[in-house]
Short mmCIF file of all heavy atoms in Angstrom, two decimals:
data_model
loop_
_atom_site.label_atom_id
_atom_site.label_comp_id
_atom_site.label_asym_id
_atom_site.label_seq_id
_atom_site.Cartn_x
_atom_site.Cartn_y
_atom_site.Cartn_z
N ILE A 16 5.16 -0.76 -2.98
CA ILE A 16 4.27 0.20 -3.60
C ILE A 16 4.28 -0.01 -5.11
O ILE A 16 5.32 -0.34 -5.70
CB ILE A 16 4.67 1.66 -3.24
CG1 ILE A 16 3.62 2.65 -3.73
CG2 ILE A 16 6.05 2.00 -3.79
CD1 ILE A 16 3.84 4.06 -3.20
N SER A 17 3.14 0.16 -5.73
CA SER A 17 3.05 0.04 -7.18
C SER A 17 1.97 0.99 -7.69
O SER A 17 1.15 1.49 -6.91
CB SER A 17 2.74 -1.39 -7.59
OG SER A 17 1.50 -1.82 -7.04
N ARG A 18 1.99 1.25 -8.98
CA ARG A 18 1.02 2.16 -9.56
C ARG A 18 0.53 1.62 -10.89
O ARG A 18 1.24 0.90 -11.59
CB ARG A 18 1.60 3.56 -9.75
CG ARG A 18 2.78 3.63 -10.71
CD ARG A 18 3.47 4.99 -10.65
NE ARG A 18 2.64 6.05 -11.25
CZ ARG A 18 2.99 7.32 -11.28
NH1 ARG A 18 4.13 7.72 -10.72
NH2 ARG A 18 2.21 8.24 -11.84
N ASP A 19 -0.68 2.00 -11.23
CA ASP A 19 -1.27 1.67 -12.52
C ASP A 19 -1.64 3.00 -13.16
O ASP A 19 -2.65 3.60 -12.80
CB ASP A 19 -2.49 0.77 -12.33
CG ASP A 19 -3.13 0.38 -13.65
OD1 ASP A 19 -2.96 1.11 -14.66
OD2 ASP A 19 -3.81 -0.66 -13.68
N ASN A 20 -0.79 3.47 -14.05
CA ASN A 20 -1.01 4.79 -14.64
C ASN A 20 -2.30 4.86 -15.45
O ASN A 20 -3.00 5.87 -15.45
CB ASN A 20 0.17 5.18 -15.52
CG ASN A 20 1.43 5.43 -14.71
OD1 ASN A 20 1.37 5.82 -13.54
ND2 ASN A 20 2.58 5.20 -15.32
N ALA A 21 -2.62 3.79 -16.13
CA ALA A 21 -3.81 3.78 -16.98
C ALA A 21 -5.09 3.93 -16.15
O ALA A 21 -6.06 4.54 -16.58
CB ALA A 21 -3.86 2.50 -17.80
N GLN A 22 -5.06 3.36 -14.94
CA GLN A 22 -6.24 3.40 -14.09
C GLN A 22 -6.16 4.48 -13.02
O GLN A 22 -7.08 4.62 -12.21
CB GLN A 22 -6.43 2.03 -13.40
CG GLN A 22 -6.65 0.88 -14.37
CD GLN A 22 -7.96 1.02 -15.12
OE1 GLN A 22 -8.96 1.51 -14.61
NE2 GLN A 22 -7.94 0.60 -16.38
N ASN A 23 -5.06 5.23 -12.98
CA ASN A 23 -4.83 6.23 -11.93
C ASN A 23 -4.98 5.63 -10.55
O ASN A 23 -5.71 6.14 -9.69
CB ASN A 23 -5.79 7.41 -12.10
CG ASN A 23 -5.21 8.50 -13.00
OD1 ASN A 23 -4.04 8.46 -13.35
ND2 ASN A 23 -6.02 9.45 -13.37
N MET A 24 -4.29 4.50 -10.36
CA MET A 24 -4.35 3.80 -9.09
C MET A 24 -2.95 3.67 -8.51
O MET A 24 -1.96 3.58 -9.23
CB MET A 24 -4.92 2.39 -9.27
CG MET A 24 -6.33 2.32 -9.79
SD MET A 24 -7.56 2.73 -8.54
CE MET A 24 -7.33 1.38 -7.38
N VAL A 25 -2.88 3.65 -7.19
CA VAL A 25 -1.64 3.32 -6.51
C VAL A 25 -1.96 2.33 -5.40
O VAL A 25 -3.03 2.41 -4.77
CB VAL A 25 -0.94 4.58 -5.94
CG1 VAL A 25 -1.80 5.32 -4.94
CG2 VAL A 25 0.42 4.24 -5.36
N TYR A 26 -1.06 1.38 -5.21
CA TYR A 26 -1.30 0.29 -4.27
C TYR A 26 -0.17 0.21 -3.25
O TYR A 26 0.96 0.61 -3.52
CB TYR A 26 -1.38 -1.04 -5.02
CG TYR A 26 -2.40 -1.06 -6.13
CD1 TYR A 26 -2.02 -0.81 -7.45
CD2 TYR A 26 -3.74 -1.32 -5.87
CE1 TYR A 26 -2.94 -0.82 -8.47
CE2 TYR A 26 -4.67 -1.33 -6.89
CZ TYR A 26 -4.27 -1.08 -8.18
OH TYR A 26 -5.20 -1.08 -9.19
N LEU A 27 -0.50 -0.35 -2.11
CA LEU A 27 0.51 -0.64 -1.11
C LEU A 27 0.26 -2.05 -0.60
O LEU A 27 -0.72 -2.29 0.10
CB LEU A 27 0.47 0.36 0.05
CG LEU A 27 1.58 0.19 1.09
CD1 LEU A 27 2.94 0.57 0.46
CD2 LEU A 27 1.32 1.06 2.32
N GLN A 28 1.15 -2.94 -0.97
CA GLN A 28 1.08 -4.32 -0.47
C GLN A 28 1.88 -4.38 0.82
O GLN A 28 3.07 -4.06 0.84
CB GLN A 28 1.67 -5.29 -1.50
CG GLN A 28 1.69 -6.74 -1.04
CD GLN A 28 0.29 -7.30 -0.87
OE1 GLN A 28 -0.59 -7.09 -1.69
NE2 GLN A 28 0.08 -8.04 0.22
N MET A 29 1.22 -4.80 1.89
CA MET A 29 1.85 -4.83 3.21
C MET A 29 1.88 -6.27 3.71
O MET A 29 0.83 -6.88 3.91
CB MET A 29 1.07 -3.94 4.19
CG MET A 29 0.90 -2.51 3.72
SD MET A 29 0.13 -1.43 4.94
CE MET A 29 -1.50 -2.16 5.01
N ASN A 30 3.07 -6.79 3.88
CA ASN A 30 3.26 -8.16 4.35
C ASN A 30 3.97 -8.15 5.70
O ASN A 30 4.56 -7.15 6.10
CB ASN A 30 4.09 -8.95 3.35
CG ASN A 30 3.42 -9.06 1.99
OD1 ASN A 30 2.19 -9.15 1.89
ND2 ASN A 30 4.22 -9.06 0.94
N SER A 31 3.89 -9.26 6.39
CA SER A 31 4.56 -9.42 7.69
C SER A 31 4.24 -8.24 8.61
O SER A 31 5.13 -7.64 9.21
CB SER A 31 6.08 -9.53 7.49
OG SER A 31 6.39 -10.63 6.65
N LEU A 32 2.97 -7.93 8.70
CA LEU A 32 2.56 -6.76 9.47
C LEU A 32 2.87 -6.93 10.96
O LEU A 32 2.81 -8.03 11.51
CB LEU A 32 1.07 -6.50 9.26
CG LEU A 32 0.74 -5.84 7.92
CD1 LEU A 32 -0.71 -6.03 7.55
CD2 LEU A 32 1.09 -4.36 7.98
N LYS A 33 3.22 -5.81 11.55
CA LYS A 33 3.55 -5.76 12.98
C LYS A 33 2.59 -4.81 13.68
O LYS A 33 1.98 -3.94 13.05
CB LYS A 33 4.99 -5.26 13.15
CG LYS A 33 6.05 -6.04 12.39
CD LYS A 33 7.42 -5.40 12.55
CE LYS A 33 8.49 -6.15 11.77
NZ LYS A 33 9.82 -5.51 11.90
N SER A 34 2.53 -4.93 14.98
CA SER A 34 1.63 -4.06 15.75
C SER A 34 2.00 -2.59 15.57
O SER A 34 1.13 -1.72 15.56
CB SER A 34 1.65 -4.44 17.22
OG SER A 34 2.97 -4.36 17.74
N GLU A 35 3.28 -2.33 15.38
CA GLU A 35 3.72 -0.94 15.19
C GLU A 35 3.34 -0.36 13.83
O GLU A 35 3.55 0.83 13.58
CB GLU A 35 5.24 -0.80 15.40
CG GLU A 35 6.08 -1.79 14.65
CD GLU A 35 6.48 -2.99 15.50
OE1 GLU A 35 5.60 -3.55 16.19
OE2 GLU A 35 7.67 -3.36 15.42
N ASP A 36 2.78 -1.18 12.95
CA ASP A 36 2.25 -0.68 11.68
C ASP A 36 0.85 -0.11 11.83
O ASP A 36 0.30 0.45 10.88
CB ASP A 36 2.24 -1.79 10.63
CG ASP A 36 3.63 -2.28 10.28
OD1 ASP A 36 4.55 -1.43 10.14
OD2 ASP A 36 3.81 -3.50 10.14
N THR A 37 0.27 -0.27 13.00
CA THR A 37 -1.07 0.24 13.24
C THR A 37 -1.09 1.76 13.09
O THR A 37 -0.31 2.46 13.74
CB THR A 37 -1.56 -0.14 14.65
OG1 THR A 37 -1.70 -1.56 14.72
CG2 THR A 37 -2.88 0.53 14.97
N ALA A 38 -1.97 2.26 12.22
CA ALA A 38 -2.04 3.69 11.94
C ALA A 38 -3.16 3.94 10.94
O ALA A 38 -3.73 2.99 10.38
CB ALA A 38 -0.72 4.19 11.35
N VAL A 39 -3.44 5.21 10.72
CA VAL A 39 -4.27 5.60 9.60
C VAL A 39 -3.33 5.83 8.42
O VAL A 39 -2.35 6.57 8.54
CB VAL A 39 -5.09 6.86 9.90
CG1 VAL A 39 -5.91 7.27 8.68
CG2 VAL A 39 -6.01 6.63 11.10
N TYR A 40 -3.63 5.20 7.31
CA TYR A 40 -2.80 5.30 6.12
C TYR A 40 -3.46 6.25 5.11
O TYR A 40 -4.66 6.11 4.81
CB TYR A 40 -2.59 3.92 5.51
CG TYR A 40 -1.59 3.10 6.29
CD1 TYR A 40 -1.90 2.60 7.55
CD2 TYR A 40 -0.33 2.82 5.76
CE1 TYR A 40 -0.99 1.86 8.27
CE2 TYR A 40 0.60 2.08 6.48
CZ TYR A 40 0.27 1.61 7.74
OH TYR A 40 1.18 0.87 8.45
#
């Protein structure tokens, strides 16, 4: 997870995804 305070943004980088990661985020 990371954030850009100047842009009021937050990010979630998801790697090595698995079937159990399936969801609404």
